[in-house]
Amino acid sequence: SKVISYIDVMTNFSDLSQKRNYSRPELSNETIINVSRGRHPVVEDSLKKDGIEFTPNDSLLTKKDNIWLMTGPNMAGKSTFLRQTALLVILNQIGCYVPAEIAKIGIFDKIFTRIGASDNLSLGMSTFMMEMVETSRILDQATNSSLVILDELGRGTASEDGLAIAYSVLEYICTKIKCITLFATHYKELCKMKEKYKQIKNKTLQIKKWEEEVIFHYKIIDGISEGSFGIHVANLAGINKKIIARAKDILINLNNKKSVEIQENNF
């Protein structure tokens, strides 16, 4: 039964890899994730059903350049890329080909993720408390052979608190754990850390602004995002146009260091 189950799994890997154009990864003893035109296997398959091509991305993380600090607009593809990287590592280690043109991937002892929002009200744990508990476990258990993925750490509290926690956690990873890390954030202030910690690479998602629209290219590039474009996403979600217009006015006032109440609005 063990032999049959092994053949069953390997045959499925083979069939899947052939049908979806996966490639054989190069196993490495180095601490490395070197991927050319990598794809998210689940999202790619979902898009194909609608006749849409998935946009592939490259990645190169090594022992020396081990941290990508990713800023970018909402809905631009940060979270997809984070999950994609973890899935490629898992597929590599379970013996399957990977959705990429070329891949050279090292062996990781564990993958740690802090993604999304959840709570445990029965234990009296808020969303932010759960976020901190999960982050604590990551920092206690990760080694320099781990892969750590942190998505918007510190968002569940005041901006000052959240930024301070995110800065301190990233600094700890830089100086103590030293593992390959993908750290996505809307705190652009963190990007200044690259000046002190050379292993950090600032990455963002390519966009194009046309009139009042934002066009997402889903392509990862070097640099820092010029904004989160949250109001644009709220508009895409169908929030009332009057509310969107008011939000834009408030944002202008805030950017000009004025009070929110300066231009009162009765909708």
Side-chain angles (χ1 to χ4, degrees):
S1 62
K2 287 182 179 179
V3 172
I4 292 171
S5 65
Y6 178 81
I7 293 171
D8 179 47
V9 171
M10 290 300 129
T11 303
N12 273 284
F13 282 172
S14 176
D15 183 59
L16 187 73
S17 300
Q18 187 176 41
K19 286 180 178 177
R20 298 191 180 180
N21 194 30
Y22 293 0
S23 65
R24 181 180 179 177
E26 178 186 346
L27 288 167
S28 176
N29 289 322
E30 302 174 54
T31 302
I32 190 170
I33 299 176
N34 187 2
V35 175
S36 175
R37 296 181 63 80
R39 296 147 10 230
H40 190 299
V42 181
V43 176
E44 179 185 42
D45 188 55
S46 178
L47 290 175
K48 274 187 176 179
K49 292 174 183 177
D50 296 324
I52 303 171
E53 286 294 319
F54 184 86
T55 302
N57 273 295
D58 301 341
S59 58
L60 177 57
L61 294 114
T62 65
K63 191 172 184 178
K64 182 180 177 183
D65 299 316
N66 62 306
I67 297 176
W68 275 18
L69 180 57
M70 303 183 69
T71 55
N74 289 295
M75 297 296 293
K78 291 195 307 299
S79 295
T80 299
F81 178 77
L82 300 185
R83 290 166 170 81
Q84 169 183 314
T85 302
L87 286 172
L88 263 65
V89 168
I90 291 171
L91 288 171
N92 176 64
Q93 285 193 214
I94 64 175
C96 185
Y97 282 26
V98 299
E101 193 171 279
I102 301 172
K104 180 180 180 180
I105 304 175
I107 302 298
F108 293 83
D109 57 4
K110 297 173 185 175
I111 297 175
F112 294 96
T113 63
R114 162 87 281 280
I115 294 174
S118 60
D119 55 38
N120 193 334
L121 299 182
S122 63
L123 295 179
M125 298 176 72
S126 66
T127 302
F128 182 65
M129 183 60 175
M130 286 289 291
E131 180 181 338
M132 291 299 99
V133 167
E134 290 176 5
T135 302
S136 174
R137 288 174 181 162
I138 292 171
L139 299 176
D140 287 344
Q141 298 176 26
T143 73
N144 60 6
S145 297
S146 302
L147 170 62
V148 170
I149 294 174
L150 296 169
D151 194 3
E152 296 186 33
L153 182 68
R155 64 183 167 181
T157 185
S159 297
E160 296 83 0
D161 283 352
L163 174 58
I165 291 168
Y167 191 109
S168 185
V169 167
L170 185 54
E171 191 172 52
Y172 186 85
I173 292 172
C174 284
T175 58
K176 297 296 182 182
I177 304 176
K178 302 178 181 178
C179 61
I180 288 183
T181 303
L182 297 176
F183 196 107
T185 185
H186 287 290
Y187 295 129
K188 292 197 294 181
E189 297 89 342
L190 294 177
C191 295
K192 295 178 182 177
M193 293 180 69
K194 176 177 170 55
E195 298 171 7
K196 183 177 180 181
Y197 301 104
K198 303 303 180 185
Q199 65 266 52
I200 294 177
K201 300 295 180 186
N202 288 331
K203 300 286 182 175
T204 188
L205 280 296
Q206 188 178 29
I207 62 164
K208 180 180 180 181
K209 288 194 286 186
W210 183 73
E211 294 182 352
E212 292 191 1
E213 295 297 314
V214 178
I215 301 169
F216 302 126
H217 290 290
Y218 306 109
K219 226 35 197 173
I220 294 172
I221 58 174
D222 292 329
I224 302 168
S225 171
E226 58 182 281
S228 295
F229 299 98
I231 295 176
H232 172 74
V233 174
N235 185 45
L236 291 177
I239 288 181
N240 187 291
K241 300 295 182 184
K242 292 180 179 179
I243 297 173
I244 297 296
R246 173 59 172 155
K248 289 178 179 178
D249 289 339
I250 292 171
L251 181 61
I252 291 170
N253 290 334
L254 291 172
N255 287 337
N256 292 332
K257 307 298 182 184
K258 296 178 182 178
S259 170
V260 172
E261 289 79 21
I262 282 180
Q263 296 178 345
E264 224 172 297
N265 189 72
N266 295 319
F267 298 109

